[in-house]
Every structure is written in structure tokens, then in C-alpha cells.
Amino acid sequence: MLQNLETLARDAKSWPFEQARNLLDHVLKKRLSDADRVAAKLLIDAGKADQALATFEALRKPVLLETGYGPSGLPHMGTFGEVARTTMVRNAFRALTGDHWPTRLVAFSDDMDGLRKAPDGVPNREQLIEDLHLPLTKVRDPFGTHESFGAYNNARLRAFLDGFGFDYEFMSSTEQYRSGRFDAVLLRVLARFDDIMAVMLPTLGEERRATYSPFLPISPVTGHVLQVPTLERDVQAGTITFDDPAGGRTTVPVTGGHVKLQWKPDWAMRWTALDVDYEMSGKDLIESVRESSKLCRVMGGVPPEGFNYELFLDVEGKKISKSKGNGLTMDEWLRYGTPESLAWYMFQSPKSAKSLHFNVIPRAIDDWLSFIDQYQAQEPAKRIDNAVWHIHAGDPPAVASPVSFSLLLNLVGVANASTKDQLWAYMAKYIPDATPATEPTLDRLMGHALNYFDDFVRPAKAFRAPTEQEAAAFRDLASRLRALPADTTDGEVIQNEVYAVGKAHAFEPLRAWFGALYEVLLGETQGPRFGSFAAIYGLPQTIDLLERGAKGDLAG
């Protein structure tokens, strides 16, 4: 599936392939001398990545891509977007290297972070308030199902990622700190304390500079994650000394989970200890990436290749804020649209700010469907840049839905449907052999269309009365359709009659005729291809709709 695509991948223009080529150059530079890098690149460009790996031992180690998660809350749109986009880069890299080079995607949970505030909307919130400042993996689970609040949210993250079929490895900050995985780099941070402070202090305000330390010790008395100055350092013993508000002057090792790092040094330490090759982040973290990259070099590591994506905006063009609730949640998107349509939306122009609101969902679904249709007719060089190649990991479905989402929305409204069974009854005439089993995508879209119509379309419908010109055209079209066989399901035949009527009644421009069909008959300013709609709705029903529209009955 991702093999034998090296030549196409090398010339592909879509952003995941651009990122994959950057990642390849980064890893070769990081792991090989100049001369070896040139030789390895020649082999890879010739489609011989397997030979490059056989020749250069340093290349055999998997390429590591990372995404981060803060488990003080549930997974959200940003979580999905980052994992989905990173997965697209990973698959592009696999295609670029003939799928010979092993890769890993780590979903890292910063679950050793202290709980800073108790979130709203959870049970036993008073209990969370009592546990403030404890590491998230020590905060009691307010839901009572897991050993900690961190464990609860980690489980939700894993279920969330599993539900979308992502291939990843979960990694817990708490487990890594306690296991000793980070010890060597933590001791390096201790030894290079002054160099790290030289990077961090210019980025801080005067008050914070006076008390800042990259180390956040865990109080042996309260278990709290403490933000206190480091008073003494013993590089030989591997310890720091600080004033514990609950226990006075205290000395602890920086290893074994007795401390964690402030988030920017922590990010840099993780890149160094895990040898991360790639991590993307939002545009709001550009400065943080720059500072963490400096810290990574101080710690003896190589900062990963990166990519900064734009943030989403609400319907008014304002930045989405979880606290304001002005965005769109995962559950809300998945009530009205498919996961694939969301992945399509994440793929498009990641460096451009886009509205993330209910009104973008229908278009995203239909665009995803149309890109699948386009894919089947494209030559290989075009296919690999098609969004659906990336959404479906190089293996998009052979067929999409035979019916667009916008058409389904209109069918729901005109048919006054409230169940899938009612919609399938109309489909039986249009696609006689279609069933939920043979058309599973269409069946899913029906459920989404019913939800979307009830919540957004029905309340906004506004029918108007026809003009004399429009009423005459409606009657003419009804007459022409009546002359066709009653069981006609050829949308093109019907559409030809629609065009003919628009021209015969001198609509200028012609789109005004289609606007009249939508506004008078459907109560909307735009709609589906009318011939396709009539073919599914049925000629007798469409004729009746036209006649009622001509009389102005629908506006009443």
C-alpha cells in the first residue's frame, strides 16, 4: 500500500510529502556524516532505502514522531488534529522511503504535571479542589473508575485514538520519570543549570525571574508539585535543595521521579531523552519551540524537525477558547459528520486559519466524497497528492456515497423524514439494490443528515412565495416532468428539463432560476443538483411539490 511509491513521493506537492522530505533530510543530517549522508540520499532517491539502511547502521533505528497531550482535560479537536496530521506525515515518510524504514508515533501524556485548577462539569469537584497541585496521576479520579484523574483522562485519550484507528504508542510522563528513562538527561540539566537559566530568564517577567528554577520538586510531605527556587545544587550527588512550605529546607535527587521539569525544559528534555525526530505544534507555540530547541541543544540533544499549524477560529473569526466554549467539540462534529470528513478538514491548508463551526460540516463531507470520486479517475502522480490518499493512509475506498450529503439534507426536509428507514424507502426507487450493508457510507450519512437537519436546517428554513415568472416556470416544469415516465430515475434527463424551463422563461442569469427552486420549494438559499434530488424524491412527489410551490402553499 505504501511501497513502490518513492519516485511519486519525491515529487509530490501536498504538504505531508513536503514535511516527509524535510524529515528525511533532518534524520540523515542528524545521524550521518556529510559524506555518508550524500551516499544514503542517493540510494534513497533511487528507490533503494532498504540498501541505505543495510549500509548505514545509524539509519536502522526507527524514526520517532511525537504528539503531546495534557491530561487535565479530555481529548479535543486539537488532539485529533495533531495526531491526524502527524500520521499523515508519517505515512508520507513511509511512502518516500518505500516503507523500508521503521517509524514510531508516540502519544505522550504530560500526566506528572500538577493539577492547577479543578475543571467545571465533573463530579466530586470538591475532591479535585482538595487535590490541587498534586501530580495528575496522584489526583483522585472524580469519576471513581480509575486509580487517578490522570489515569482516567489517559484512558479516554487511548480510547479516543483507538476509535479513529490511529497507530501509536502511548507514553506516560509519570512512568518515564519514575522508571529512570529520563535520569541521564535530568542529571545533565543539573550539571548545565546555569546555561539553561541563561536561555530561560530573558523570556520571563521580573517577578518570575527572581524565583524561577527549571526543576519542580515533588514535596516529600504533601506530594505537591512545587514551584520554588532551587537554593543549592550538588552535581556530584545529583540533588537539589529547596524550601518546602510543608517541610522546611529539603534535599531530593533530581532522578527517579522526585522532580519534574518546567514545561519548556521538560519538552526539550523529552526530545533529548527519547531522541524525537519530528513534532508539530500550533502557531501559538512558535516562541516556545524556539526556546525549547535552544534548551535541547544545551542538554546535548538535536531538536526535532517541526511544523507550525494555524489555529481554528469560531464563526465570528475569533480564536477558539475552551473556557469560552466558542468552538466545536469532537462529539459535536461526530454527531453531524463522519471522522473522515473531519480528517479532510484537518488536511486542508494547515497553515491557514479556518472557521471550526457547525456550518463547515456539510461542505467538508461533500468535499471528502467528491475527492474520493476524483481519485478513481486520476493518474498516480495526482492520486498521491489527493487529500483522500492521506486521509485513508494510501488506500481510499473505491467508491463513495452515491448521494451527496447536501442532497440528503434536502431529502430529509422535503420528505419530512425522521428515520433512516424512511430515507431508504426513497433510495429503493433510485438505487434498487442498495442496502445499509452494500452502502454503509450512505447509511452513516443518513444518520448524520437527520441530526444536522433537525438541529440546524429545520429552525433556519424560510420559504417565500413565488413571483409570477417563477410560478409559471414551476407549472411548466411540472408539466414537462409529467410527460416523462413516472419511474424515471435518471437525474440527467430530469436536469435537462430543468435547464430547458429556465431558458424558456428567460431567467437572467440562469442561476436565478435555481435560486427560485431552492428558496420557494426547499426554503433555503442553495441546494443540491435539482435533477438528482427529483430522481431520488420521485417524479410524482416532485410534480406535487412544484404545483404547491406555484400556488404559494409552501410559503404559507
Side-chain angles (χ1 to χ4, degrees), residues 121-398:
V122 297
N124 301 311
R125 191 168 182 272
E126 300 78 11
Q127 178 180 291
L128 288 178
I129 293 173
E130 292 175 4
D131 288 352
L132 287 175
H133 310 300
L134 288 174
L136 288 162
T137 44
K138 290 294 185 181
V139 174
R140 289 168 291 176
D141 176 17
F143 299 93
T145 58
H146 291 75
E147 61 187 22
S148 69
F149 189 39
Y152 171 83
N153 285 320
N154 285 341
R156 291 295 300 269
L157 170 68
R158 298 174 80 164
F160 175 85
L161 298 180
D162 292 343
F164 291 108
F166 288 121
D167 177 22
Y168 70 98
E169 301 170 36
F170 175 78
M171 196 172 285
S172 157
S173 175
T174 300
E175 292 175 2
Q176 299 306 309
Y177 269 100
R178 291 179 180 170
S179 70
R181 177 79 174 271
F182 293 158
D183 283 359
V185 183
L186 288 168
L187 290 171
R188 210 175 298 161
V189 172
L190 181 64
R192 302 176 187 180
F193 186 93
D194 292 334
D195 292 334
I196 289 170
M197 293 290 278
V199 172
M200 289 303 305
L201 291 181
T203 70
L204 305 173
E206 182 177 353
E207 184 176 343
R208 186 115 190 268
R209 283 201 300 269
T211 60
Y212 182 84
S213 169
F215 292 107
L216 299 174
I218 311 299
S219 169
V221 179
T222 63
H224 289 176
V225 180
L226 302 175
Q227 294 215 35
V228 293
T230 295
L231 303 178
E232 295 179 12
R233 291 171 281 128
D234 188 331
V235 175
Q236 195 70 27
T239 62
I240 59 170
T241 299
F242 58 95
D243 275 335
D244 185 338
R249 200 172 184 86
T250 304
T251 299
V252 297
V254 299
T255 54
H258 293 89
V259 307
K260 80 175 297 286
L261 295 181
Q262 298 268 12
W263 86 268
K264 291 176 187 176
D266 184 87
W267 205 8
M269 181 275 296
R270 189 194 317 160
W271 288 345
T272 305
L274 301 179
D275 197 17
V276 175
D277 296 304
Y278 187 89
E279 182 161 1
M280 62 173 61
S281 56
K283 185 180 178 181
D284 57 331
L285 295 180
I286 288 176
E287 286 299 321
S288 299
V289 170
R290 187 175 294 122
E291 291 154 11
S292 294
S293 295
K294 292 177 183 177
L295 293 171
C296 181
R297 295 186 185 97
V298 169
M299 296 175 195
V302 177
E305 180 67 21
F307 175 75
N308 295 112
Y309 52 82
E310 258 290 0
L311 305 179
F312 288 112
L313 306 175
D314 68 9
V315 71
E316 297 178 353
K318 297 178 181 177
K319 180 180 174 181
I320 286 175
S321 165
K322 286 189 289 183
S323 61
K324 293 180 181 177
N326 62 335
L328 189 64
T329 69
M330 286 297 310
D331 287 343
E332 287 169 336
W333 186 292
L334 296 179
R335 172 172 167 78
Y336 307 115
T338 62
E340 298 92 342
S341 65
L342 177 56
W344 183 92
Y345 200 68
M346 293 294 177
F347 174 86
Q348 299 300 318
S349 305
K351 283 189 171 290
S352 299
K354 298 193 293 292
S355 171
L356 187 61
H357 197 261
F358 299 106
N359 56 12
V360 306
I361 296 176
R363 175 68 181 271
I365 296 173
D366 280 340
D367 283 345
W368 163 60
L369 296 175
S370 68
F371 273 63
I372 290 176
D373 291 337
Q374 293 173 27
Y375 182 88
Q376 303 307 321
Q378 289 175 324
E379 60 187 38
K382 295 290 186 182
R383 282 185 169 190
I384 203 168
D385 276 330
N386 188 317
V388 298
W389 188 94
H390 297 279
I391 292 167
H392 296 277
D395 188 25

Side-chain angles (χ1 to χ4, degrees), residues 390-428:
H390 297 279
I391 292 167
H392 296 277
D395 188 25
V399 294
S401 167
V403 177
S404 70
F405 189 69
S406 58
L407 195 155
L408 279 177
L409 284 175
N410 283 284
L411 181 61
V412 170
V414 175
N416 197 29
S418 59
T419 68
K420 286 185 183 181
D421 288 342
Q422 291 171 301
L423 296 177
W424 274 113
Y426 283 98
M427 291 299 160

Side-chain angles (χ1 to χ4, degrees), residues 532-552:
S532 300
F533 165 77
I536 294 175
Y537 188 45
L539 281 191
Q541 292 84 355
T542 303
I543 292 167
D544 179 64
L545 183 67
L546 287 163
E547 292 175 340
R548 287 190 291 135
K551 296 175 183 176

